[in-house]
Amino acid sequence: MIRIATLASLFLLWGSCEVAMAQNAVQGRVTDDQGNALPSATVMTASGKGVFTDLDGQYTLAVSAGEQTLTFSFIGYLNTVKTVNVRAGEAKTLNIRLREDAVLLNESVVVGYGVQRKKEVTGAISTIDSKEITAVQTPSFEAALQGQAAGVQVTQGSGMAGSGSIVRIRGLSSISAGGDPLYVIDGIPITQDYFAGGNSGAMNRNPLASLNPNDIKDIQVLKDAAATGIYGSRGANGVILITTKRGVKKGIQVSYGSSIGYGEPTSRANMMNTEEYLTIRQEAWENDGGTGYVWLPYLTTAGSSPETRKAAFERAMETNTDWFDLFSRRAQKTQQNIGLRSGGEKWSMYNGVSYDKNESYAVGNSYTRTSARTNFDWTPNDKIKVLLSGSTSKGQNQRVRGGWSGGIGAAMSTALPYMAPYVVDSTFDANGSLVSTERNYELNRWFNPMAYQDFVQWRETERRQIATGQIIVTPHERLDIVMNGGYDNSKLENDSYENSALDRTNGFAYGNWSEYNARNYNVGANATFRAIDRDTTSLAILVGAEAQKFESDGFGFNLRDSQGPAYAMPALRDSLFGLHDSLYDAVSTVTNAYVNQYRTDGFASTFARVNYNLKDRYFFQATARVDGSSRFGQNNRFGFFPSAAAGWVISDEPSFKSETISFLKFRTSWGRTGNASIDGFSRFALYNDQTQGATYAGDTIVFPTQPGNPDLRWETVETIDASLEMG
């Protein structure tokens, strides 16, 4: 009995010691911003002792009495560090909400200079993920926005490969300036000049075609003043925020995608055949008082004899050409993508390579893009994070004429059905053997679109590099400081060649080669202070500043007696790049060398935003931004653009009870935005000289062409928005 009692006493003593030790503990639940449990989250002391949360996010960590520093972490979320004081025998409760990492967002929404929970958003924002962007093959990523977000209208300019799309967010908000939205990639605005190459060939280039849709993680479309107000004048037409893919925390992920598709015209023009055209033309001729057979363009004139007109009419009836069929086709689209995501404890990386060839329905037209991207993230400690991104791309657009310029446009207008595209002339030797064949373009080659299709070679090449960097410093758990910079460099090379057969006067072959360069520099910094950071109430204040500089220049040559396009003649192309007169004179004659005027614009801004969350169902936001642009007169160079917004989640009210509606939110906003998309020379007094040799008292005559305007001011728009969201 004594031995048994002793053993029982030992067990009771050991058990009481375990209970006493367990009472020195920290326990609680780890969740995300929306209160969802985070299973397998790590809770660790400064000494390295730690536990994982269970399936419900619950944890219990035994600690020594006294002050303890705990680190809470979970993949895809920012680490949270808390210091607690645990008394002897105390089981302290500490519930933690982890904020999602700005790079690996899930249910959060990217907004200007930050992120917000969808519940907190007071502006009109639509989110489009990568699957929706790449689900359908489109000429470029912005064309995939059509039908993906309410209020966003996308119109393709011409259907040609590499052509620009017109994107309008909630219509056009300007009567005198540009209407294109601002595009921001990983926090840095990019260049988007649709007119860098002019509109030759009845088509503007697409500055966004160089972006690989498969590198995009998601897109946020900011529509109203509450969402775009933080961008001031730059957000007057809406903002499209593009977030690219990043690496993974651990391990390696490899992805490969290949696709092939076909495209055809969505509808064919209902063109008349030869019999229908001649019947209507004959009827019009007779209604106008004419007699006999009608005269036919390219064959006869109104003054031709009746016999000549009859012969031409009968000859025309022998030919029936479907020009639209000749200039259109079933286009093929191919795409290859390889992605590699990797990472370690403190770093992660994404690498992507893509090849894309996109043919259009117009014969001879195609756009080929090769691109590569690298995104690198480094977190040396829990207070510093470095994000680096870089991409390079090369886009080659094999151009053909369209619209008013010819090609498919001529096939639906000036190319008449009784015109044959060409006949083949064959040459035989004395023995009857075929020596050669040659296309003879009927009815005057200068009015035959097939001749221009065969005798004109035209290619545009764009080389683009975009580099961005961001440093996020968290000196205090409630303070984040972000410093960023970006560089966007674009070189557009335009190279065309016309065969001597098209020169009706001298029989010369002509070439045109030019290069346009655009450089965009961005630097900025902002700080966010969370003055109140409780579960149901928060107050965040953002202040920041940024500056942008844009430069452009270029040069070009008009060539005569060229032997072909410069892209097919490396020696000629190299000499044009190097401006080596002796070399390019050896292969062609330069009739004109010209320089595109150097242009530069500056932009400087300061901004602030306040977000207040009351009881996690009343949300308020106010923004203010001051923009300064060198494009405006010196008396009105700066503009002030404020906005205010509020949101109320009605479904979170205790009195709200509904079996059919689980989420109900009302939001409203007001804001003032400006527009700086005007010509950079609008404020200057411009003059021109008399170029026809006239003088006054022996001096050159100079006359004004545009008066100076130091009072040129911002165009401003005030917007009021209200909506009701339910689900």
Side-chain angles (χ1 to χ4, degrees):
M1 293 294 295
I2 296 175
R3 183 177 298 175
I4 294 175
T6 303
L7 289 173
S9 299
L10 289 173
F11 275 110
L12 289 172
L13 179 62
W14 177 78
S16 63
C17 289
E18 282 294 297
V19 172
M21 291 177 63
Q23 287 179 345
N24 295 337
V26 180
Q27 61 188 14
R29 189 167 184 256
V30 180
T31 62
D32 62 12
D33 278 342
Q34 296 180 334
N36 300 315
L38 295 178
S40 299
T42 302
V43 184
M44 186 172 292
T45 65
S47 62
K49 183 180 180 181
V51 295
F52 293 104
T53 59
D54 61 17
L55 293 176
D56 195 39
Q58 301 283 352
Y59 74 95
T60 300
L61 177 62
V63 296
S64 303
E67 187 176 274
Q68 297 290 336
T69 300
L70 305 180
T71 301
F72 299 81
S73 61
F74 189 74
I75 294 176
Y77 290 76
L78 297 174
N79 292 351
T80 296
V81 180
K82 293 289 186 180
T83 301
V84 295
N85 199 330
V86 182
R87 296 191 298 270
E90 180 186 15
K92 195 174 189 68
T93 299
L94 181 61
N95 295 323
I96 295 296
R97 284 194 174 191
L98 296 183
R99 292 189 299 113
E100 290 176 312
D101 193 310
V103 178
L104 298 175
L105 300 176
N106 185 16
E107 294 300 323
S108 297
V109 176
V110 178
V111 296
Y113 308 99
V115 295
Q116 289 181 345
R117 288 186 300 153
K118 289 183 179 180
K119 183 179 181 179
E120 297 176 344
V121 172
T122 56
I125 300 178
S126 294
T127 301
I128 306 167
D129 64 25
S130 59
K131 293 181 180 179
E132 295 171 322
I133 299 169
T134 57
V136 180
Q137 283 195 334
T138 55
S140 57
F141 88 90
E142 83 280 2
L145 300 179
Q146 180 65 45
Q148 301 288 358
V152 179
Q153 181 183 16
V154 181
T155 305
Q156 281 190 245
S158 66
M160 295 288 192
S163 65
S165 296
I166 301 173
V167 179
R168 294 292 179 262
I169 298 176
R170 292 189 171 181
L172 190 63
S173 62
S174 174
I175 59 174
S176 61
D180 297 312
L182 174 69
Y183 292 88
V184 180
I185 298 181
D186 292 332
I188 302 297
I190 63 170
T191 304
Q192 54 192 73
D193 187 359
Y194 289 88
F195 295 94
N199 66 342
S200 54
M203 187 193 89
N204 295 335
R205 63 180 284 269
N206 185 358
L208 305 174
S210 60
L211 303 179
N212 178 18
N214 287 276
D215 287 338
I216 297 175
K217 177 182 179 292
D218 57 41
I219 293 175
Q220 317 287 338
V221 182
L222 314 186
K223 306 173 188 177
D224 66 348
T228 65
I230 193 66
Y231 287 100
S233 64
R234 306 169 88 177
N237 300 305
V239 181
I240 295 179
L241 304 179
I242 302 168
T243 303
T244 59
K245 296 177 181 177
R246 316 300 296 193
V248 293
K249 291 294 183 181
K250 290 184 179 180
I252 297 177
Q253 296 179 3
V254 180
S255 62
Y256 171 75
S258 177
S259 63
I260 184 170
Y262 297 92
E264 294 180 340
T266 55
S267 63
R268 293 176 58 93
N270 186 18
M271 307 298 294
M272 291 184 290
N273 59 30
T274 297
E275 183 178 358
E276 293 168 337
Y277 175 81
L278 294 181
T279 299
I280 290 179
R281 187 172 181 85
Q282 181 68 36
E283 182 179 343
W285 166 258
E286 294 174 359
N287 290 340
D288 197 36
T291 58
Y293 285 89
V294 64
W295 67 275
L296 301 178
Y298 311 125
L299 294 180
T300 55
T301 66
S304 299
S305 66
E307 294 76 12
T308 302
R309 297 201 305 270
K310 178 182 178 181
F313 193 96
E314 292 174 345
R315 176 193 170 187
M317 287 293 293
E318 297 174 357
T319 304
N320 184 31
T321 302
D322 187 341
W323 286 96
F324 187 85
D325 188 63
L326 287 175
F327 280 84
S328 62
R329 64 179 174 182
R330 169 179 282 189
Q332 181 174 310
K333 307 171 188 294
T334 59
Q335 190 177 85
Q336 310 287 332
N337 293 281
I338 299 177
L340 174 64
R341 306 175 76 177
S342 57
E345 182 179 351
K346 295 185 177 182
W347 65 276
S348 64
M349 179 181 291
Y350 167 80
N351 295 284
V353 179
S354 173
Y355 171 82
D356 188 328
K357 184 173 183 180
N358 178 28
E359 295 179 345
S360 79
Y361 69 95
V363 173
N365 177 227
S366 65
Y367 183 86
T368 304
R369 181 192 66 239
T370 54
S371 64
R373 168 173 286 275
T374 295
N375 292 344
F376 179 75
D377 303 340
W378 178 48
T379 309
N381 53 56
D382 59 358
K383 295 185 181 299
I384 299 177
K385 189 166 190 175
V386 180
L387 311 178
L388 301 175
S389 300
S391 67
T392 181
S393 64
K394 178 182 178 181
Q396 286 189 343
N397 191 353
Q398 205 66 41
R399 296 284 304 273
V400 294
R401 297 188 176 203
W404 52 262
S405 183
I408 195 73
M412 295 186 291
S413 57
T414 59
L416 302 177
Y418 61 77
M419 294 171 56
Y422 57 84
V423 294
V424 177
D425 290 339
S426 302
T427 302
F428 299 89
D429 61 17
N431 298 321
S433 300
L434 180 66
V435 176
S436 63
T437 60
E438 181 182 2
R439 285 186 174 185
N440 180 14
Y441 297 91
E442 272 199 318
L443 308 179
N444 193 327
R445 70 187 59 172
W446 302 288
F447 301 103
N448 189 324
M450 183 60 71
Y452 280 89
Q453 184 87 339
D454 293 342
F455 287 142
V456 174
Q457 300 177 61
W458 186 8
R459 188 168 78 183
E460 283 184 349
T461 303
E462 181 184 20
R463 296 170 176 84
R464 188 170 193 176
Q465 297 82 38
I466 300 176
T468 64
Q470 190 175 77
I471 300 176
I472 304 174
V473 181
T474 308
H476 187 272
E477 63 179 3
R478 293 190 176 185
L479 178 63
D480 294 327
I481 300 174
V482 179
M483 296 166 284
N484 55 56
Y487 174 65
D488 181 5
N489 179 50
S490 177
K491 291 182 179 291
L492 179 65
E493 183 181 345
N494 193 334
D495 189 355
S496 63
Y497 168 78
E498 290 189 3
N499 189 282
S500 59
L502 295 177
D503 183 6
R504 69 178 73 183
T505 304
N506 301 310
F508 290 137
Y510 292 97
N512 181 277
W513 182 93
S514 64
E515 183 187 62
Y516 172 82
N517 304 302
R519 298 170 295 278
N520 187 17
Y521 309 87
N522 286 271
V523 293
N526 63 78
T528 301
F529 177 63
R530 291 174 289 280
I532 303 174
D533 192 11
R534 295 194 289 268
D535 288 345
T536 59
T537 303
S538 63
L539 174 64
I541 303 171
L542 166 75
V543 294
E546 65 180 0
Q548 178 186 19
K549 181 180 180 181
F550 174 79
E551 297 177 328
S552 66
D553 55 42
F555 58 96
F557 299 91
N558 294 322
L559 309 173
R560 191 183 68 195
D561 290 339
S562 294
Q563 301 172 14
Y567 64 79
M569 304 174 64
L572 173 61
R573 182 174 178 272
D574 292 343
S575 67
L576 295 174
F577 266 119
L579 303 179
H580 298 153
D581 295 354
S582 59
L583 185 55
Y584 63 61
D585 278 343
V587 292
S588 65
T589 301
V590 175
T591 59
N592 181 38
Y594 55 90
V595 175
N596 291 332
Q597 191 171 28
Y598 172 80
R599 303 184 65 165
T600 181
D601 294 316
F603 211 92
S605 307
T606 57
F607 51 87
R609 178 174 61 208
V610 177
N611 288 93
Y612 181 57
N613 168 11
L614 178 62
K615 296 184 178 181
D616 205 31
R617 58 178 180 269
Y618 308 110
F619 304 99
F620 305 92
Q621 175 181 288
T623 67
R625 182 172 177 123
V626 176
D627 285 337
S629 173
S630 63
R631 296 184 177 185
F632 294 97
Q634 59 184 2
N635 297 335
N636 293 290
R637 189 150 291 175
F638 292 89
F640 176 63
F641 308 102
S643 73
W648 175 27
V649 182
I650 305 172
S651 54
D652 282 357
E653 292 290 347
S655 59
F656 182 85
K657 292 180 175 58
S658 175
E659 296 181 358
T660 57
I661 299 176
S662 59
F663 180 79
L664 182 63
K665 177 182 177 181
F666 173 77
R667 57 178 174 80
T668 184
S669 65
W670 167 88
R672 181 191 302 137
T673 57
N675 199 323
S677 298
I678 63 173
D679 184 77
F681 290 95
S682 298
R683 73 184 191 276
F684 291 115
L686 301 181
Y687 296 85
N688 204 350
D689 64 338
Q690 175 58 259
T691 58
Q692 297 178 355
T695 61
Y696 180 79
D699 294 330
T700 301
I701 299 174
V702 177
F703 57 93
T705 59
Q706 175 180 292
N709 186 3
D711 296 318
L712 182 64
R713 65 175 60 244
W714 298 77
E715 179 189 69
T716 59
V717 176
E718 292 193 11
T719 304
I720 298 176
D721 186 77
S723 69
L724 190 67
E725 301 176 7
M726 66 177 64

